[in-house]
PDB file of all heavy atoms in Angstrom:
ATOM      1  N   GLY A 245       9.142  14.206   4.628  1.00  0.00           N
ATOM      2  CA  GLY A 245      10.123  13.318   4.006  1.00  0.00           C
ATOM      3  C   GLY A 245       9.935  11.860   4.375  1.00  0.00           C
ATOM      4  O   GLY A 245      10.648  10.995   3.876  1.00  0.00           O
ATOM      5  N   GLU A 246       9.001  11.561   5.247  1.00  0.00           N
ATOM      6  CA  GLU A 246       8.746  10.161   5.635  1.00  0.00           C
ATOM      7  C   GLU A 246       7.470   9.665   4.975  1.00  0.00           C
ATOM      8  O   GLU A 246       6.480  10.397   4.905  1.00  0.00           O
ATOM      9  CB  GLU A 246       8.502  10.076   7.148  1.00  0.00           C
ATOM     10  CG  GLU A 246       9.751   9.994   7.970  1.00  0.00           C
ATOM     11  CD  GLU A 246       9.370   9.913   9.448  1.00  0.00           C
ATOM     12  OE1 GLU A 246       8.428   9.170   9.786  1.00  0.00           O
ATOM     13  OE2 GLU A 246      10.001  10.637  10.227  1.00  0.00           O
ATOM     14  N   TRP A 247       7.496   8.413   4.568  1.00  0.00           N
ATOM     15  CA  TRP A 247       6.280   7.786   4.029  1.00  0.00           C
ATOM     16  C   TRP A 247       5.570   7.132   5.201  1.00  0.00           C
ATOM     17  O   TRP A 247       6.132   6.285   5.893  1.00  0.00           O
ATOM     18  CB  TRP A 247       6.655   6.792   2.926  1.00  0.00           C
ATOM     19  CG  TRP A 247       7.219   7.544   1.755  1.00  0.00           C
ATOM     20  CD1 TRP A 247       8.529   7.841   1.524  1.00  0.00           C
ATOM     21  CD2 TRP A 247       6.472   8.169   0.702  1.00  0.00           C
ATOM     22  NE1 TRP A 247       8.654   8.606   0.378  1.00  0.00           N
ATOM     23  CE2 TRP A 247       7.405   8.816  -0.152  1.00  0.00           C
ATOM     24  CE3 TRP A 247       5.113   8.259   0.378  1.00  0.00           C
ATOM     25  CZ2 TRP A 247       7.018   9.521  -1.282  1.00  0.00           C
ATOM     26  CZ3 TRP A 247       4.733   8.958  -0.760  1.00  0.00           C
ATOM     27  CH2 TRP A 247       5.679   9.585  -1.573  1.00  0.00           C
ATOM     28  N   ARG A 248       4.339   7.551   5.456  1.00  0.00           N
ATOM     29  CA  ARG A 248       3.667   7.165   6.695  1.00  0.00           C
ATOM     30  C   ARG A 248       2.264   6.614   6.466  1.00  0.00           C
ATOM     31  O   ARG A 248       1.577   7.006   5.532  1.00  0.00           O
ATOM     32  CB  ARG A 248       3.483   8.422   7.584  1.00  0.00           C
ATOM     33  CG  ARG A 248       4.732   9.186   7.887  1.00  0.00           C
ATOM     34  CD  ARG A 248       4.341  10.488   8.560  1.00  0.00           C
ATOM     35  NE  ARG A 248       3.661  10.224   9.807  1.00  0.00           N
ATOM     36  CZ  ARG A 248       4.210  10.314  11.009  1.00  0.00           C
ATOM     37  NH1 ARG A 248       5.463  10.704  11.126  1.00  0.00           N
ATOM     38  NH2 ARG A 248       3.533  10.067  12.091  1.00  0.00           N
ATOM     39  N   GLU A 249       1.856   5.779   7.392  1.00  0.00           N
ATOM     40  CA  GLU A 249       0.441   5.391   7.474  1.00  0.00           C
ATOM     41  C   GLU A 249      -0.335   6.525   8.136  1.00  0.00           C
ATOM     42  O   GLU A 249       0.265   7.427   8.724  1.00  0.00           O
ATOM     43  CB  GLU A 249       0.296   4.182   8.403  1.00  0.00           C
ATOM     44  CG  GLU A 249       0.788   2.894   7.849  1.00  0.00           C
ATOM     45  CD  GLU A 249       0.564   1.782   8.864  1.00  0.00           C
ATOM     46  OE1 GLU A 249      -0.334   1.899   9.717  1.00  0.00           O
ATOM     47  OE2 GLU A 249       1.314   0.812   8.790  1.00  0.00           O
ATOM     48  N   ALA A 250      -1.653   6.415   8.122  1.00  0.00           N
ATOM     49  CA  ALA A 250      -2.453   7.395   8.868  1.00  0.00           C
ATOM     50  C   ALA A 250      -2.268   7.128  10.363  1.00  0.00           C
ATOM     51  O   ALA A 250      -2.096   5.971  10.773  1.00  0.00           O
ATOM     52  CB  ALA A 250      -3.915   7.260   8.488  1.00  0.00           C
ATOM     53  N   THR A 251      -2.304   8.190  11.158  1.00  0.00           N
ATOM     54  CA  THR A 251      -2.141   8.037  12.607  1.00  0.00           C
ATOM     55  C   THR A 251      -3.150   7.034  13.160  1.00  0.00           C
ATOM     56  O   THR A 251      -2.848   6.231  14.032  1.00  0.00           O
ATOM     57  CB  THR A 251      -2.342   9.406  13.297  1.00  0.00           C
ATOM     58  OG1 THR A 251      -1.524  10.345  12.609  1.00  0.00           O
ATOM     59  CG2 THR A 251      -1.953   9.378  14.754  1.00  0.00           C
ATOM     60  N   ALA A 252      -4.373   7.090  12.617  1.00  0.00           N
ATOM     61  CA  ALA A 252      -5.419   6.188  13.118  1.00  0.00           C
ATOM     62  C   ALA A 252      -5.375   4.823  12.428  1.00  0.00           C
ATOM     63  O   ALA A 252      -6.277   4.001  12.640  1.00  0.00           O
ATOM     64  CB  ALA A 252      -6.783   6.837  12.907  1.00  0.00           C
ATOM     65  N   HIS A 253      -4.356   4.602  11.590  1.00  0.00           N
ATOM     66  CA  HIS A 253      -4.170   3.335  10.857  1.00  0.00           C
ATOM     67  C   HIS A 253      -5.359   2.985   9.963  1.00  0.00           C
ATOM     68  O   HIS A 253      -5.601   1.816   9.696  1.00  0.00           O
ATOM     69  CB  HIS A 253      -3.888   2.174  11.829  1.00  0.00           C
ATOM     70  CG  HIS A 253      -2.700   2.433  12.689  1.00  0.00           C
ATOM     71  ND1 HIS A 253      -1.413   2.455  12.194  1.00  0.00           N
ATOM     72  CD2 HIS A 253      -2.617   2.720  14.008  1.00  0.00           C
ATOM     73  CE1 HIS A 253      -0.589   2.751  13.179  1.00  0.00           C
ATOM     74  NE2 HIS A 253      -1.275   2.924  14.286  1.00  0.00           N
ATOM     75  N   GLU A 254      -6.094   3.992   9.535  1.00  0.00           N
ATOM     76  CA  GLU A 254      -7.230   3.702   8.644  1.00  0.00           C
ATOM     77  C   GLU A 254      -6.790   3.794   7.185  1.00  0.00           C
ATOM     78  O   GLU A 254      -5.827   4.501   6.878  1.00  0.00           O
ATOM     79  CB  GLU A 254      -8.365   4.687   8.914  1.00  0.00           C
ATOM     80  CG  GLU A 254      -9.068   4.395  10.230  1.00  0.00           C
ATOM     81  CD  GLU A 254     -10.053   5.493  10.595  1.00  0.00           C
ATOM     82  OE1 GLU A 254     -10.562   6.155   9.684  1.00  0.00           O
ATOM     83  OE2 GLU A 254     -10.297   5.678  11.798  1.00  0.00           O
ATOM     84  N   GLU A 255      -7.532   3.102   6.343  1.00  0.00           N
ATOM     85  CA  GLU A 255      -7.187   3.094   4.917  1.00  0.00           C
ATOM     86  C   GLU A 255      -8.391   3.461   4.054  1.00  0.00           C
ATOM     87  O   GLU A 255      -9.528   3.347   4.494  1.00  0.00           O
ATOM     88  CB  GLU A 255      -6.715   1.689   4.496  1.00  0.00           C
ATOM     89  CG  GLU A 255      -5.406   1.301   5.124  1.00  0.00           C
ATOM     90  CD  GLU A 255      -5.015  -0.119   4.767  1.00  0.00           C
ATOM     91  OE1 GLU A 255      -5.645  -0.698   3.853  1.00  0.00           O
ATOM     92  OE2 GLU A 255      -4.082  -0.622   5.407  1.00  0.00           O
ATOM     93  N   LEU A 256      -8.062   3.841   2.840  1.00  0.00           N
ATOM     94  CA  LEU A 256      -9.092   4.218   1.874  1.00  0.00           C
ATOM     95  C   LEU A 256      -8.826   3.427   0.602  1.00  0.00           C
ATOM     96  O   LEU A 256      -7.700   3.437   0.097  1.00  0.00           O
ATOM     97  CB  LEU A 256      -8.911   5.707   1.596  1.00  0.00           C
ATOM     98  CG  LEU A 256      -9.969   6.510   0.905  1.00  0.00           C
ATOM     99  CD1 LEU A 256     -11.228   6.558   1.752  1.00  0.00           C
ATOM    100  CD2 LEU A 256      -9.445   7.933   0.689  1.00  0.00           C
ATOM    101  N   GLU A 257      -9.833   2.730   0.096  1.00  0.00           N
ATOM    102  CA  GLU A 257      -9.626   1.937  -1.121  1.00  0.00           C
ATOM    103  C   GLU A 257      -9.778   2.812  -2.359  1.00  0.00           C
ATOM    104  O   GLU A 257     -10.643   3.699  -2.400  1.00  0.00           O
ATOM    105  CB  GLU A 257     -10.650   0.799  -1.172  1.00  0.00           C
ATOM    106  CG  GLU A 257     -10.315  -0.288  -0.174  1.00  0.00           C
ATOM    107  CD  GLU A 257     -11.390  -1.346  -0.072  1.00  0.00           C
ATOM    108  OE1 GLU A 257     -12.517  -1.106  -0.566  1.00  0.00           O
ATOM    109  OE2 GLU A 257     -11.113  -2.408   0.518  1.00  0.00           O
ATOM    110  N   VAL A 258      -8.940   2.538  -3.340  1.00  0.00           N
ATOM    111  CA  VAL A 258      -9.033   3.263  -4.613  1.00  0.00           C
ATOM    112  C   VAL A 258      -9.579   2.283  -5.653  1.00  0.00           C
ATOM    113  O   VAL A 258      -9.039   1.191  -5.829  1.00  0.00           O
ATOM    114  CB  VAL A 258      -7.649   3.793  -5.041  1.00  0.00           C
ATOM    115  CG1 VAL A 258      -7.745   4.529  -6.369  1.00  0.00           C
ATOM    116  CG2 VAL A 258      -7.076   4.696  -3.953  1.00  0.00           C
ATOM    117  N   VAL A 259     -10.653   2.696  -6.315  1.00  0.00           N
ATOM    118  CA  VAL A 259     -11.377   1.792  -7.222  1.00  0.00           C
ATOM    119  C   VAL A 259     -11.154   2.208  -8.675  1.00  0.00           C
ATOM    120  O   VAL A 259     -11.195   3.403  -8.997  1.00  0.00           O
ATOM    121  CB  VAL A 259     -12.888   1.832  -6.889  1.00  0.00           C
ATOM    122  CG1 VAL A 259     -13.699   1.043  -7.895  1.00  0.00           C
ATOM    123  CG2 VAL A 259     -13.124   1.313  -5.478  1.00  0.00           C
TER     124      VAL A 259
END
Side-chain angles (χ1 to χ4, degrees):
E246 276 180 43
W247 293 91
R248 305 171 62 102
E249 287 181 25
T251 310
H253 303 290
E254 287 172 27
E255 293 176 12
L256 194 64
E257 286 173 346
V258 179
V259 173

